[in-house]
Amino acid sequence: MFSMKVDFNRLSITGHELEFIQQAIDSGHLQGGGKFLAKCESAISDIVGATSLMTTSCTTALDMIALLLDIKEGDEIIVPSYTFVSSINPFVLRGAKPVFCDSRADTLNIDETKIENLITDKTKAIVAVHYAGVACEMDTIMAIAKRRKIAVVEDTAQGLYAYYKGKHLGTFGELGAISFHSTKNVIAGEGGALICNNPNFIDRANFVREKGTNRIHFINGKIDKYTWVDYGSSYIPSELITAFLSAQLMCAKKFTDARIASWNYYYDNLSELEREGKIRLCKVPNGCKHNAHIFWATTDSAETTKSLLQYLKSKQIGATQHYAPLHNCPMAKKLGCADISLPVAETFAKTMFRLPIYSTITPDEQDYVIKAIFDFFKK
Ligand SMILES: *Cc1c(COP(=O)(O)O)cnc(C)c1O
């Protein structure tokens, strides 16, 4: 029988990465703060339309956000339970308590209708995570935050080239964080960026990124000796990373467009199974322009999803589930915030599955995946 192997993820490489890394080496400057850092930051700022600072990861950008918002012991942060641990850990590290919110069934994003009930006098921030590069309901979230005087942080790790009502994700709240992890649409191996929408944060963000020093003012010739002025750590990426990413950013739009074409191909071809009630496909609400970071769907039960994934594995197709809700994790128990029930997050974590998607997946490979899914439901 006809068979092929379709990996869950595959790197998208432009072919210019090594050339740029060689240029970085030849320049004699490999620490952070060189020509490639500037190049990446200007490219990212152009794409998102806001000031960006490159970091070593999205997680460290979120660490910086927790420092910039002066998060401290006793603060509460509202966060979806259905997300990656980095959406909350940077705040927990500063002593804050996670307050988990359920998700919407159509997008798996934070359910904006459930946020207001979770707000207390201690709430410092709402973390909006744009799952799969599909925007959260930002108008509602921003209105709640404004009314209740709470900060909004956007974990837009997956959201490069994704928009809500024409505005790039990560540019609604005070601060946002993007990831260039190897599994994202545009990659640096490990890498990230902080998005500063409130200009009041830009100076401090530079201090925090450079070990809590005002080295930025020294580099810009404003002072002749830099000194310790703030909290901070080493959050600036080396030129090896930004050289690689510079090449990637040149093709970022092309990679995204290719993914969107593949996403639409899955959607169109699997719609019949949705009409038959076998599966339910992910939805992109009106006003959201997504970037095809993830193609996901659900079946009617945890058991069906489990056997579907086993079947796809037997066909050498790399399909997989995603997050275990954070409130069900051991650390949530330790922090005393596990004793809640969030039905959508709990159910969908078990019934959802993701299909292989990357800029280089071929129609033949997608046909093979689609046929396998149809075959499974015909059995
Ligand atoms: C990938 C991801 C992160 C972490 O990104 P890193 O760059 O690996 O630190 C955080 N949040 C979400 C939602 C992610 O998908």
Side-chain angles (χ1 to χ4, degrees):
M1 200 207 121
F2 171 69
S3 123
M4 56 169 81
K5 183 169 189 290
V6 189
D7 299 315
F8 178 67
N9 196 22
R10 203 183 280 156
L11 303 183
S12 296
I13 298 297
T14 69
H16 295 286
E17 286 83 357
L18 287 176
E19 176 190 325
F20 287 1
I21 288 173
Q22 187 65 52
Q23 281 179 28
I25 295 169
D26 294 344
S27 78
H29 180 119
L30 288 186
Q31 71 273 37
K35 169 184 121 185
F36 284 107
L37 183 99
K39 236 176 129 159
C40 286
E41 289 183 347
S42 118
I44 296 164
S45 299
D46 281 352
I47 295 169
V48 304
T51 303
S52 74
L53 272 81
M54 280 287 304
T55 57
T56 48
S57 68
C58 176
T59 305
T60 55
L62 287 157
D63 283 344
M64 289 175 63
I65 291 175
L67 286 167
L68 291 169
L69 293 177
D70 296 318
I71 300 302
K72 58 184 186 320
E73 186 90 39
D75 290 343
E76 293 178 1
I77 308 292
I78 298 175
V79 64
S81 178
Y82 185 80
T83 186
F84 190 57
V85 60
S86 293
S87 306
I88 190 63
N89 224 4
F91 303 95
V92 171
L93 213 53
R94 309 301 311 155
K97 179 182 158 221
V99 176
F100 294 117
C101 189
D102 209 352
S103 295
R104 291 165 52 133
D106 57 348
T107 58
L108 298 184
N109 280 332
I110 192 165
D111 184 342
E112 69 281 358
T113 65
K114 302 216 167 92
I115 292 175
E116 193 120 34
N117 275 343
L118 302 175
I119 296 175
T120 71
D121 292 347
K122 295 176 182 162
T123 310
K124 267 296 195 65
I126 302 165
V127 183
V129 185
H130 305 295
Y131 185 64
V134 176
C136 298
E137 184 32 55
M138 291 314 288
D139 279 351
T140 308
I141 294 172
M142 294 311 294
I144 295 170
K146 195 169 170 203
R147 187 156 19 87
R148 306 295 294 261
K149 300 191 169 53
I150 299 167
V152 171
V153 171
E154 292 177 78
D155 178 345
T156 189
Q158 307 173 8
L160 193 72
Y161 271 116
Y163 303 82
Y164 175 80
K165 300 191 176 170
K167 208 160 123 62
H168 198 284
L169 303 189
T171 63
F172 293 85
E174 269 75 9
L175 296 149
I178 299 184
S179 175
F180 299 105
H181 185 267
S182 219
T183 54
K184 304 300 199 265
N185 292 14
V186 176
I187 61 174
E190 302 277 356
L194 173 77
I195 303 173
C196 270
N197 299 310
N198 179 341
N200 295 335
F201 285 119
I202 295 174
D203 259 359
R204 274 198 71 209
N206 277 291
F207 302 160
V208 165
R209 182 172 68 167
E210 273 285 18
K211 296 96 178 170
T213 72
N214 58 357
R215 189 160 183 272
I216 185 83
H217 292 335
F218 170 73
I219 291 166
N220 295 340
K222 285 192 195 158
I223 49 177
D224 53 17
K225 201 161 178 283
Y226 69 84
T227 185
W228 181 25
V229 294
D230 208 323
Y231 293 104
S233 191
S234 182
Y235 295 127
I236 200 164
S238 107
E239 286 286 287
L240 295 173
I241 299 287
T242 48
F244 188 101
L245 186 67
S246 291
Q248 288 272 312
L249 286 166
M250 293 193 317
C251 294
K253 181 74 169 58
K254 200 178 90 186
F255 288 164
T256 309
D257 290 345
R259 291 180 83 107
I260 289 170
S262 305
W263 194 99
N264 290 337
Y265 192 77
Y266 275 139
Y267 198 94
D268 293 345
N269 284 281
L270 293 170
S271 287
E272 190 184 323
L273 285 177
E274 182 167 49
R275 282 191 296 275
E276 290 171 5
K278 300 284 202 314
I279 60 174
R280 218 203 47 141
L281 301 173
C282 48
K283 295 286 175 278
V284 179
N286 285 339
C288 298
K289 190 170 178 291
H290 72 121
N291 62 1
H293 177 59
I294 292 171
F295 188 92
W296 64 272
T298 54
T299 72
D300 59 1
S301 72
E303 293 70 41
T304 311
T305 293
K306 207 170 153 201
S307 46
L308 171 64
L309 289 173
Q310 268 162 9
Y311 182 77
L312 295 178
K313 194 174 171 205
S314 76
K315 299 282 165 201
Q316 300 202 76
I317 295 167
T320 177
Q321 296 190 283
H322 211 176
Y323 308 126
L326 292 174
H327 73 283
N328 290 340
C329 294
M331 185 61 177
K333 287 201 183 69
K334 273 194 218 165
L335 294 171
C337 50
D339 205 10
I340 46 169
S341 143
L342 301 172
V344 177
E346 286 161 23
T347 307
F348 279 69
K350 292 191 191 121
T351 59
M352 69 90 68
F353 60 93
R354 294 181 292 161
L355 297 179
I357 190 161
Y358 24 87
S359 71
T360 54
I361 195 164
T362 66
D364 280 353
E365 289 172 322
Q366 286 195 277
D367 285 341
Y368 178 70
V369 174
I370 292 159
K371 181 172 182 308
I373 297 171
F374 271 86
D375 287 349
F376 171 82
F377 283 105
K378 260 191 238 129
K379 275 195 303 173

